[in-house]
Amino acid sequence: MTKFSAFTLLVSLALFTSCDFIKNSLTYKDKTESFVEALMDKDYDECVSMMATDHETAKKTNRDSLKFGLDQFRAVIGSNFGDGNFEYSLMKAEKKRSTVASDNTPPNTTLAHIEFSNGKNLGVFQVLFDDTSNKILNIHTLEIKAEKPNMLLFWLFGILPLTVLLFNIYVIRKIKKSNLKRKWIKYLAVIVLNVPAISYAAVDGLSYKLLNFQILFGVGFSLMGYLGSVWTFGIPLGGIYWLWKLHQQKNLAFITKSTSQMIPDSHEKTTENM
């Protein structure tokens, strides 16, 4: 097999795996919603049917003990968030691979974070799914309880990152039209040198990181539920610098042109006097 064929095969396998992962991810929110609704209705038999009880790690689980645990879990949710009618959104789904064994997700499993809201407060379910059956292996709530934010401020803040994006695009266009050499270095500086980073999260509000570079035209954006909704922009130092250099070049060219126009006039006057 040639190197190109091997590379093509690897890329194809990666694409198929990624597509399968994305397809499964889209079902995690719905499966969690169905499970929690059955749980809040005390339909524990239905809950058990949606769990991966045939999985190797769950085979020895006693069914009655499992139902008792589900009843306690329902009580925890009810005391913190009420008796149901939640809104759900997928925050993320991931497979953790780390040098620290305890941080890894078990083989053939996916860890999903599902945000839920009772209309006033937000919480997060952490759900471990079995990849083979696509059923739930484990579910619990994270120690998160936040007020549902007003998204108007979040979307208004988005004007600032969009302004930075448009400014950097404007500077790149100016560089492209200039007679500067090695333009790709200037483009890279504009795209990468956006620091420090200022963020606004829908729930946590304003924050900044002094040495955080925003390397995609100075803008970052995330929309994963309320808790994962964040605008970020970097101060466009690269764009500001090269716009200043372009203005300097323009002013120098203007002075040079004006001087060159004045020299012939002086020469003509000297000739007439002679």
Side-chain angles (χ1 to χ4, degrees):
M1 183 181 291
T2 65
K3 291 182 179 180
F4 178 76
S5 299
F7 176 75
T8 303
L9 179 61
L10 288 173
V11 171
S12 299
L13 287 172
L15 286 173
F16 279 123
T17 303
S18 298
C19 289
D20 192 46
F21 179 75
I22 293 170
K23 179 183 175 182
N24 289 338
S25 297
L26 296 175
T27 69
Y28 294 151
K29 178 184 78 72
D30 295 334
K31 289 180 180 293
T32 303
E33 181 176 353
S34 298
F35 180 88
V36 174
E37 285 182 355
L39 179 73
M40 302 314 290
D41 290 338
K42 297 186 178 181
D43 190 351
Y44 301 132
D45 287 324
E46 180 65 18
C47 289
V48 171
S49 72
M50 288 188 273
M51 300 187 74
T53 53
D54 293 333
H55 191 270
E56 187 177 335
T57 59
K59 284 181 179 179
K60 295 181 180 180
T61 303
N62 181 275
R63 199 176 183 90
D64 291 331
S65 298
L66 181 57
K67 288 183 179 181
F68 179 73
L70 290 172
D71 187 59
Q72 289 186 314
F73 183 45
R74 180 194 179 281
V76 170
I77 298 172
S79 64
N80 285 284
F81 297 97
D83 293 329
N85 297 319
F86 301 133
E87 298 173 0
Y88 301 82
S89 60
L90 174 68
M91 294 183 67
K92 63 179 179 179
E94 61 185 355
K95 293 177 178 291
K96 290 185 178 180
R97 296 291 179 266
S98 172
T99 53
V100 181
S102 59
D103 292 339
N104 291 328
T105 50
N108 300 315
T109 64
T110 301
L111 189 67
H113 287 83
I114 311 294
E115 181 187 277
F116 66 100
S117 168
N118 60 7
K120 187 176 181 180
N121 299 112
L122 305 169
V124 178
F125 290 117
Q126 182 171 282
V127 193
L128 186 66
F129 284 91
D130 171 33
D131 291 340
T132 304
S133 63
N134 249 349
K135 291 185 176 183
I136 295 171
L137 266 171
N138 183 277
I139 180 171
H140 66 273
T141 56
L142 299 181
E143 293 182 3
I144 295 173
K145 186 178 181 180
E147 288 188 10
K148 188 175 180 179
N150 181 352
M151 293 299 284
L152 177 61
L153 292 175
F154 175 78
W155 292 116
L156 287 175
F157 184 86
I159 295 171
L160 294 176
L162 292 177
T163 301
V164 170
L165 174 63
L166 292 174
F167 172 76
N168 280 336
I169 292 173
Y170 169 76
V171 175
I172 285 177
R173 287 177 62 85
K174 295 284 285 186
I175 293 171
K176 183 179 179 181
K177 293 178 180 179
S178 72
N179 57 2
L180 293 173
K181 296 180 180 179
R182 302 178 71 185
K183 293 181 181 180
W184 68 272
I185 295 179
K186 283 74 173 175
Y187 295 151
L188 195 61
V190 174
I191 293 170
V192 173
L193 295 179
N194 299 279
V195 64
I198 299 171
S199 298
Y200 186 86
V203 173
D204 295 329
L206 200 64
S207 64
Y208 76 95
K209 293 182 180 178
L210 190 61
L211 295 177
N212 188 299
F213 288 79
Q214 290 300 303
I215 60 174
L216 294 176
F217 290 93
V219 176
F221 176 66
S222 171
L223 190 64
M224 296 185 293
Y226 292 103
L227 290 163
S229 294
V230 183
W231 282 107
T232 304
F233 71 91
I235 304 300
L237 299 182
I240 292 170
Y241 174 78
W242 281 110
L243 187 62
W244 172 68
K245 291 291 286 184
L246 287 169
H247 277 295
Q248 268 198 331
Q249 186 187 56
K250 185 177 179 181
N251 291 336
L252 182 62
F254 177 76
I255 292 170
T256 304
K257 183 178 179 180
S258 299
T259 304
S260 64
Q261 288 176 345
M262 290 174 64
I263 292 174
D265 292 343
S266 300
H267 178 70
E268 288 175 7
K269 289 180 180 179
T270 303
T271 306
E272 287 176 3
N273 291 335
M274 290 177 62

